[in-house]
Amino acid sequence: MDLVFIIDSSRSVRPTEFESMRKFMIDMINSLEIGPTHTRVGVVQYSSQVQNVFSLKSYFTKADMHKAINDIIPLAQGTMTGLAIQYAMNVAFTVEEGARPLAKRIPRVAVIVTDGRPQDRVTEVAAQAREAQIEIYAVGVQRADVNSLRAMASTPIDDHVFYVESFDLIQHFAIQFQDKLCVIDLCAQGNHGCEHLCVSSPGSYSCACRSGYKLNNDKKTCSGKIGQCSTGYIDLVFVIDGSKSVRPQNFELVKQFVIKIVDSLDVSAHGTHVGLVQYSSRVRTEFSLNQFKTAKDISNAVRNIDYMEKGTMTGLALKHMVEHSFSQQEGARPNVPKIGLVFTDGRSQDDISEWAKRAKEAGITMYAVGVGKAVEDELNEIASDPVNKHSFYTADFTTVNLIAEDLKLNICPEEIKGETEFKNPCDCEHLISFQTNTLTTLGNLAEKLSQLTARLETLENQLADKK
């Protein structure tokens, strides 16, 4: 199999706890037959950013892997688990990084080890990873959020989710993992009638669809191209950093990032409108909200933008966005959701506080995307609440498109519908709907609590037997 460990090295993981995580990985590797034609192993660590420790093609001996694991320096920042899963799917499990082609039917397995609640979205990206035939095991320690573990893991959930109260106990699960990882790959024996993808799980399989399609009720066939924002519409203004620290080659990657977001939107005269502002030591409107009416025209305009260079006046850019970009003169429409997306690679040379606050007071939902030397506090100050859904960071321009997927999910009108529909909450139908939904949610919570209690009792019995 191709196995990638995705390990949480956020600031909440103490040094002694991280040592337990190292030992867990080494014990797992020692139990496997390692080699280019056998099991390949990669390791990714994450916090507020994602770092490739070594890829599936880097080492083919246990000794080399042990040394690389022992040399890991924890990142000690936030907990961007969704970003790490996205990286694993788009980078770590690619043929270029050493994964074997899917046609060879060699299982792709990700083992996520985390001790906290993710600060970004995991449900959608984990579903995409599973659709890409990556089998996900989620291991939670101490403060880990059980619901997030279950949202990430493959099915059957109980075979793919593990939780322990301390890092000291994580070693007890190595043997259980070994048993589960070494089961027969049923999909290697045939596709079992799956129209698109057959996804193996321990002792079982399930069917999945390629990206952009949905699984039908028969759980085997696929239909309907999905994924583009097409319900509702927004006024979206990009505010992109064109300072000299970005550099020309990276500025081209920023353009690709913008185009990827635009391609996911329903741009039209009566649909979504998009504007773009570039800033450095000054601010320049590249095109306003009322200038283009098709995604193709916007993409062409983005490709033709000239790089400004010079300084980083983010505060001035926010002021321009509030006073000009979202004005009726430049195409902003009344009663249409306003979204501002700021992209920067460094610390602002002027104050951002006043205009970050004014933007939100003006009803603009603010997203902040930082790269490289971007300052986390500034990103969080720009971003709307909740910050973990509106602030994004990556260390490298080459991986910025990984953030684009999360942003597409966030800014799609379906996702912000609750903020844009104006209904009377006291209407009878809405009260009944609220009551029904609340009772359903409470029922689901009670069921999950019962399952969790049973699971904990089983784990306690297993630990007692080992003592």
Side-chain angles (χ1 to χ4, degrees), residues 231-388:
T231 303
Y233 48 89
I234 58 177
D235 283 345
L236 169 64
V237 174
F238 290 93
V239 182
I240 63 173
D241 184 347
S243 60
K244 60 185 176 184
S245 59
V246 174
R247 299 182 182 177
Q249 64 272 27
N250 291 331
F251 192 71
E252 292 304 312
L253 295 176
V254 176
K255 290 183 186 181
Q256 293 176 22
F257 167 84
V258 172
I259 290 170
K260 190 167 187 177
I261 298 293
V262 170
D263 284 344
S264 72
L265 301 171
D266 180 24
V267 178
S268 66
H270 301 291
T272 289
H273 291 183
V274 178
L276 189 144
V277 168
Q278 182 185 178
Y279 72 96
S280 58
S281 298
R282 56 190 179 88
V283 184
R284 183 172 73 201
T285 296
E286 301 294 351
F287 52 87
S288 60
L289 287 167
N290 57 8
Q291 194 162 343
F292 299 113
K293 299 299 184 290
T294 69
K296 181 179 179 182
D297 287 343
I298 293 171
S299 297
N300 288 336
V302 172
R303 293 187 185 97
N304 291 327
I305 293 173
D306 293 325
Y307 173 41
M308 293 175 72
E309 299 191 37
K310 298 189 179 179
T312 311
M313 303 292 282
T314 311
L316 184 63
L318 290 170
K319 181 177 186 291
H320 181 94
M321 179 197 72
V322 174
E323 293 186 337
H324 300 285
S325 301
F326 282 110
S327 67
Q328 291 189 22
Q329 291 84 354
E330 294 203 6
R333 295 165 290 179
N335 300 322
V336 172
K338 297 176 177 62
I339 295 180
L341 196 160
V342 179
F343 189 106
T344 182
D345 87 320
R347 182 184 295 276
S348 177
Q349 295 173 335
D350 61 351
D351 180 64
I352 65 166
S353 301
E354 178 183 356
W355 288 99
K357 180 181 178 183
R358 286 202 191 186
K360 286 170 271 192
E361 288 175 347
I364 303 169
T365 301
M366 295 298 300
Y367 289 83
V369 179
V371 183
K373 295 181 180 178
V375 180
E376 185 175 2
D377 288 346
E378 288 189 354
L379 297 177
N380 292 345
E381 188 166 7
I382 293 169
S384 293
D385 291 326
V387 169
N388 65 322

Side-chain angles (χ1 to χ4, degrees), residues 210-240:
R210 291 189 292 271
S211 179
Y213 293 83
K214 62 180 180 180
L215 193 65
N216 292 328
N217 291 334
D218 62 9
K219 303 300 181 183
K220 289 184 178 292
T221 60
C222 303
S223 66
K225 192 79 171 140
I226 60 174
Q228 187 184 55
C229 293
S230 57
T231 303
Y233 48 89
I234 58 177
D235 283 345
L236 169 64
V237 174
F238 290 93
V239 182
I240 63 173

Side-chain angles (χ1 to χ4, degrees), residues 145-174:
D145 177 54
V146 174
N147 287 334
S148 296
L149 298 177
R150 295 175 68 86
M152 292 186 281
S154 295
T155 54
I157 296 294
D158 288 342
D159 289 335
H160 290 80
V161 173
F162 297 86
Y163 177 82
V164 290
E165 292 181 353
S166 72
F167 278 88
D168 295 337
L169 299 175
I170 197 173
Q171 309 304 325
H172 296 303
F173 288 91

Side-chain angles (χ1 to χ4, degrees), residues 107-178:
R108 295 181 174 183
V109 178
V111 176
I112 302 170
V113 184
T114 182
D115 84 321
R117 182 187 297 274
Q119 294 175 335
D120 58 353
R121 304 161 66 90
V122 297
T123 303
E124 294 87 353
V125 70
Q128 292 171 15
R130 296 192 297 268
E131 288 176 5
Q133 301 188 51
I134 299 171
E135 185 175 3
I136 300 176
Y137 289 85
V139 183
V141 186
Q142 289 182 338
R143 299 163 291 274
D145 177 54
V146 174
N147 287 334
S148 296
L149 298 177
R150 295 175 68 86
M152 292 186 281
S154 295
T155 54
I157 296 294
D158 288 342
D159 289 335
H160 290 80
V161 173
F162 297 86
Y163 177 82
V164 290
E165 292 181 353
S166 72
F167 278 88
D168 295 337
L169 299 175
I170 197 173
Q171 309 304 325
H172 296 303
F173 288 91
I175 296 174
Q176 294 183 48
F177 267 117
Q178 292 160 21

Side-chain angles (χ1 to χ4, degrees), residues 60-81:
F60 296 112
T61 69
K62 294 179 181 179
D64 287 340
M65 291 179 183
H66 293 176
K67 183 179 184 305
I69 289 171
N70 285 324
D71 288 341
I72 297 174
I73 299 175
L75 297 171
Q77 295 174 348
T79 311
M80 301 293 282
T81 311

Side-chain angles (χ1 to χ4, degrees), residues 5 85 87 92 208 288 334 387 403 408 432:
F5 290 98
I85 297 172
Y87 180 92
S288 60
V387 169
I403 293 177
K408 284 197 297 185
I432 294 172

